[in-house]
Amino acid sequence: MTMDPFIPVNEPLLDGNEKIYLVDCIDTGWISSEGPFVRQFEEGFAARVGRRFGVAVSNGSVALEAAIAALGMGPGDEVILPTFTIISCAAAIVRAGAVPVVVDCDPMTWNMEVAQIERRITSRTKAIMVVHIYGLPCDMDPILALSDKYGLKVIEDAAEMHGQTYNGRPCGSFGEISTFSFYPNKHVTTGEGGMIVTDDEALAERCRSLRNLCIQTKKRFVHEELGWNFRMSNLQAALGVAQLERLDEFVGRKRAMGARYRELLKGIPGVQLPVAGVDYADNIYWVFGLVLKDDVPFDAGEAMRRLGEMKIGTRPFFWPMHEQPVFHKMGLFRDTRCPVAERISRRGFYLPSGLALTGGQMERVAAALHAVMREACR
Ligand SMILES: Cc1ncc(COP(=O)(O)O)c(C=O)c1O
C-alpha cells in the first residue's frame, strides 16, 4: 500500500479572479439571482458559444428540463437520444410526459451512432437530443440534415463540451437550443450551475419565465403556468465570470493532459484509449476515459477497485438509459438492446482528469494503471 496521498478524480482550478468577484458579491450585498454577475455571465457565455441569448440556471440537469419544456415537448411526443448518457437527459424527456427513444453509441468515440437515428424516426418523433460525450462532439452535419429532412428540433446537450468546436463551429451553437453544466468537473464551474443558450428570443424568454416560477411582470403572484425556481445566484455567476476568462487556457491544459496521458500509457496492454481526434474535432478530454478490452479477465469495477487500493480516484462510465431500473419500472426500454453501450458501460471508466491535476500525479496514475494491466494481461 502506497503512502502517497489519494489522487481525486477531479479537482477544479479556482486561482483566477474567483475570490475577487465573490468578495464583490459580499461587499455589495448582491448574492441572489438579481445580482449583476448573472447577466454578465449569461452574455459572456452566450457570446463565447456564438449564441444570442444565455439563460443561467441552477444546474445542467434542469437546463435540459427547462429546454424540453420550452420547446413544448409533451405527451405522445418522441425524442431520440443516445442511450449512453447521464440520466438527466432521459429524465427531462420523461418528466415532460414525452417518450425517450434511444440509439446505441459508436464503439470508438462513445457518441451516439448517427446511422441508427433515421431508423428510430416515426410520425411521433419531435426532436433529437444530441449529447456530446467525454470530449469529442457528435457528428453534427448528418444530424442537422435529418432534422431538416423530418422537421425535427435539435436539443444539444453540450454539458461537457465548453470550448470544443465541431468543424470550427462552437459546441453549444447547434440546433434550436443548447445546454451546459457548470458542475466542478466541467471546464467552467460555478460549483453547481447550468446555462441554456439559443438564438431564438421567444425561446429564451420562455426559459427565463420557466426558470422563475412563471412569475408575470404585471401580476407578480398570479400564474398562468407552472414553472420552477431554477435560478442561478450572483455568487455562482461570479465564479462563472472568473472561470470563463480562462476557458481557452483550461482547454489548452486539458488537451495537454490528454496528450501526456497518451504518452504515459503508450503500449499499455488490454486498454482502449480515447480517440485523439476525428476529422471534425480534436479531443478536449473533458475526462480521460478508458475501455478494458474483451480479453481482460475483469470488468471496470474491479480495475477501479485495484486502482483505488493504490489511491487513484476513478469514475465508472455512464450506465445506459435502456438498462435503468427506474425506466423499466415505467415500462420503458424493456426489449431494447444496445450492445456497444452495454459493453462500454461495464468495461469503461475514467482516470483523474481535473484541471488541477499535476504532471507528477499523472505519472502516478499511469504507473498504477500499467501495474494493474500488466497483472491482468500476463
Ligand atoms: C452530458 C451531461 N448532461 C447533463 C449533465 C447534468 O449536469 P448537472 O450535473 O449540472 O446537473 C451532465 C453532468 O455531468 C452531463 O455530463
Side-chain angles (χ1 to χ4, degrees):
M1 192 72 150
T2 167
M3 296 306 286
D4 291 327
F6 184 76
I7 302 177
V9 74
N10 175 65
E11 215 179 319
L13 262 191
L14 300 165
D15 54 355
N17 286 322
E18 289 80 0
K19 205 181 274 180
I20 296 169
Y21 298 162
L22 279 174
V23 168
D24 181 87
C25 297
I26 292 163
D27 285 348
T28 60
W30 282 117
I31 55 173
S32 77
S33 59
E34 298 283 310
F37 282 120
V38 177
R39 193 38 84 98
Q40 196 182 329
F41 186 40
E42 288 178 336
E43 287 175 1
F45 197 86
R48 175 62 210 242
V49 298
R51 289 287 205 180
R52 289 178 63 208
F53 306 101
V55 182
V57 291
S58 15
N59 56 63
S61 303
V62 302
L64 284 164
E65 228 165 289
I68 288 275
L71 286 172
M73 298 292 142
D77 296 339
E78 292 179 1
V79 180
I80 297 175
L81 78 162
T83 193
F84 187 67
T85 184
I86 193 162
I87 191 103
S88 317
C89 302
I93 297 165
V94 169
R95 286 213 174 97
V99 181
V101 176
V102 294
V103 298
D104 204 352
C105 59
D106 178 273
M108 298 309 291
T109 65
W110 310 323
N111 273 316
M112 75 198 290
E113 182 66 78
V114 176
Q116 291 187 11
I117 297 176
E118 194 160 16
R119 263 180 266 153
R120 301 283 195 281
I121 296 174
T122 71
S123 57
R124 294 176 297 280
T125 308
K126 292 287 165 9
I128 303 171
M129 182 185 281
V130 173
V131 189
H132 309 299
I133 297 288
Y134 294 167
L136 277 175
C138 296
D139 191 1
M140 291 307 301
D141 283 343
I143 296 174
L144 295 173
L146 282 176
S147 104
D148 278 351
K149 182 171 167 189
Y150 293 96
L152 307 176
K153 309 257 190 239
V154 170
I155 304 144
E156 182 194 16
D157 180 353
E160 306 172 358
M161 233 35 55
H162 313 189
Q164 180 57 295
T165 56
Y166 170 83
N167 277 332
R169 193 178 145 183
C171 290
S173 68
F174 293 94
E176 275 68 24
I177 200 160
S178 311
T179 61
F180 286 88
S181 161
F182 303 121
Y183 188 71
N185 58 5
K186 304 303 187 302
H187 295 170
V188 166
T189 182
T190 59
E192 298 285 351
M195 182 91 72
I196 304 162
V197 292
T198 180
D199 293 319
D200 181 330
E201 191 165 8
L203 208 48
E205 270 318 301
R206 179 106 185 94
C207 290
R208 287 186 201 289
S209 174
L210 288 167
R211 165 183 74 174
N212 194 28
L213 299 167
C214 291
I215 283 174
Q216 306 190 87
T217 32
K218 292 211 175 97
K219 294 181 183 169
R220 189 171 178 87
F221 294 117
V222 179
H223 300 265
E224 296 287 342
E225 285 178 283
L226 288 182
W228 298 272
N229 177 354
F230 286 164
R231 300 184 298 257
M232 174 184 275
S233 77
N234 202 48
L235 293 160
Q236 292 167 306
L239 281 183
V241 169
Q243 290 264 296
L244 186 58
E245 291 170 351
R246 300 176 68 189
L247 179 53
D248 288 331
E249 176 198 337
F250 288 165
V251 168
R253 209 178 159 100
K254 280 286 186 131
R255 285 206 164 115
M257 279 168 44
R260 182 72 183 128
Y261 263 141
R262 304 189 78 81
E263 216 174 272
L264 290 167
L265 297 174
K266 209 166 171 184
I268 191 166
V271 171
Q272 177 192 332
L273 299 182
V275 172
V278 282
D279 56 0
Y280 49 78
D282 292 329
N283 207 325
I284 49 167
Y285 301 102
W286 170 60
V287 293
F288 197 89
L290 305 168
V291 176
L292 298 175
K293 292 185 179 162
D294 290 343
D295 53 0
V296 175
F298 49 74
D299 64 9
E302 177 59 16
M304 291 166 62
R305 193 190 62 74
R306 293 184 189 193
L307 287 166
E309 278 182 354
M310 288 185 256
K311 300 201 180 166
I312 309 296
T314 51
R315 280 279 181 290
F317 269 18
F318 293 131
W319 197 252
M321 291 306 102
H322 72 281
E323 293 196 284
Q324 296 290 344
V326 62
F327 293 138
H328 289 182
K329 284 182 230 163
M330 293 175 184
L332 289 165
F333 306 133
R334 286 214 174 126
D335 301 318
T336 305
R337 295 302 312 273
C338 297
V340 178
E342 286 163 26
R343 179 172 59 80
I344 70 168
S345 59
R346 285 156 178 81
R347 303 192 72 77
F349 62 99
Y350 60 85
L351 299 178
S353 307
L355 281 160
L357 194 69
T358 65
Q361 287 177 317
M362 291 175 75
E363 283 168 21
R364 257 187 64 204
V365 172
L369 188 63
H370 272 289
V372 168
M373 298 316 297
R374 254 197 319 272
E375 168 88 16
C377 301
R378 264 196 308 201

